[in-house]
Amino acid sequence: MDPAAAPCVRIVYLARLREALARPHEDWPLDAGSTSVAALAAALAARGGAWSHELAAGRAVRVAVNHVMATPATVVRAGDEVAFFPPVTGG
Amino acid sequence: MPVRVQDAAFDIGAEIDALRAGDPRIGAIATFVGTVRDANDGASVATMTLEHYPGMTERALADIVAEAKGRFDIVDALVVHRVGRLVPGDAIVLVAVTGAHRGDAFAACEFVMDYLKTRAPFWKKEATPDGERWVDARASDDAAAERWRDDGADRRQAR
């Protein structure tokens, strides 16, 4: 990561969430340097509208941090890639 | 432990030949092929479009194959999964497992599919007469993966 750039998390949205939130990805400023999956999801849900609907507590949303399945307590740091997606349906 | 994600169709015979090539330890090859049905949840399905999460998908599949090799007495395993737009009858996924004997080859093949269904980041969207819809995850898939949870070591010893 470019040290001169503001610390950010790359957020990726997949499948139904990408369509509902109308974007494939975004960069989320992380001035504090770190947060948790739960806190990040809550901050996104606070945008209201589709965000609060899709990321509401109890919705079936999975999260991966740096390509590994995460839990609400998983720590997220600047430079990480955090993906939000529905339960998987491959095979 | 090869895993691949691709748009193109795969040739099952060629894949098996490549997996077993010249290995005289192999006495059993178990395969599973998943295909697109023409109906799901009461609606006809014209096309099925699969997407995935590049980077995580390959890692998740490799982890599943590595876990299968740890749990079962097998020689190797292959996963080929297609993405993009498919039609009924098309093959979606191939799992092939080689081993000395059929028991662990069958079991490992089923294990890989059960874990793939719940852990590999793929999503299906169906085109039905009422429009497109995302396929919902099934509780039965979670249950199928769950039954492998504790008995990995026991299962291997029993065979």
Side-chain angles (χ1 to χ4, degrees):
Chain A
M1 188 170 194
D2 178 359
C8 279
V9 173
R10 166 54 64 106
I11 306 180
V12 176
Y13 305 100
L14 294 147
R16 189 195 72 234
L17 285 171
R18 183 191 63 251
E19 293 185 347
L21 303 175
R23 70 196 65 190
H25 53 76
E26 66 180 308
D27 290 324
W28 180 268
L30 199 64
D31 295 330
S34 74
T35 183
S36 68
V37 165
L40 180 59
L44 291 165
R47 286 170 160 170
W51 298 88
S52 61
H53 176 68
E54 292 294 338
L55 300 175
R59 290 279 288 182
V61 173
R62 304 285 184 261
V63 182
V65 175
N66 297 330
H67 295 163
V68 176
M69 292 300 296
T71 69
T74 301
V75 174
V76 175
R77 296 185 175 81
D80 286 350
E81 180 168 302
V82 182
F84 289 82
F85 48 80
V88 301
T89 56
Chain B
M1 50 181 80
V3 303
R4 297 203 318 271
V5 179
Q6 62 187 43
D7 286 299
F10 47 78
D11 178 333
I12 297 166
E15 297 291 353
I16 292 172
D17 285 347
L19 185 66
R20 65 186 294 218
D23 192 331
R25 294 173 298 169
I26 295 169
I29 304 161
T31 63
F32 173 85
V33 179
T35 60
V36 181
R37 288 190 306 275
D38 68 354
N40 188 33
D41 285 339
S44 64
V45 173
T47 65
M48 175 174 280
T49 304
L50 281 117
E51 75 167 67
H52 75 121
Y53 180 16
M56 179 171 173
T57 315
E58 294 80 358
R59 179 174 181 160
L61 293 176
D63 285 350
I64 293 166
V65 168
E67 188 157 351
K69 291 179 89 166
R71 283 179 174 236
F72 303 99
D73 185 11
I74 59 176
V75 171
D76 207 355
L78 166 73
V79 179
V80 183
H81 202 299
R82 293 180 68 192
V83 291
R85 193 165 172 275
L86 306 178
V87 299
D90 280 351
I92 304 170
V93 60
L94 167 68
V95 175
V97 177
T98 58
H101 304 287
R102 72 184 184 283
D104 276 48
F106 272 133
C109 190
E110 191 168 21
F111 169 86
V112 169
M113 270 312 298
D114 285 346
Y115 268 38
L116 184 156
K117 281 272 188 184
T118 54
R119 297 187 178 193
F122 293 97
W123 299 274
K124 289 174 179 155
K125 191 185 218 182
E126 298 170 333
T128 73
D130 294 330
E132 293 197 318
R133 66 182 186 190
W134 290 100
V135 175
D136 284 329
R138 294 175 191 271
S140 59
D141 288 336
D142 286 331
E146 194 67 19
R147 71 203 159 97
W148 299 99
R149 208 167 144 87
D150 298 315
D151 64 350
D154 297 341
R155 192 171 283 267
R156 182 168 179 159
Q157 279 176 357
R159 284 173 191 275

